[in-house]
């Protein structure tokens, strides 16, 4: 288990191994979260609409 690289999208539950570069990694209150490519697009839209200064 120590070199497990699989990740799962925290929104839709999609999994990938290893995490594709198109996925977003963000650190939140619950630790590191991954967003898959399609959820990233939705997330960017929401963030750009509400919290532009929080996006990195
Ligand atoms: Zn997703």
């Amino acid at each position: 288990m120590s070199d497990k690289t699989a990740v799962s999208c925290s929104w839709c539950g999609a999994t990938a191994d290893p995490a594709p570069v198109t996925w977003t990694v963000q650190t939140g209150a619950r630790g590191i979260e991954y967003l898959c490519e399609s959820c990233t697009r939705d997330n960017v839209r929401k963030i750009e609409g509400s919290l532009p200064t929080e996006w990195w």
Side-chain angles (χ1 to χ4, degrees), residues 9-14 23 34-40:
C9 175
S10 60
W11 279 20
C12 72
W23 284 36
Y34 291 87
L35 295 182
C36 73
E37 189 174 354
S38 61
C39 289
T40 294

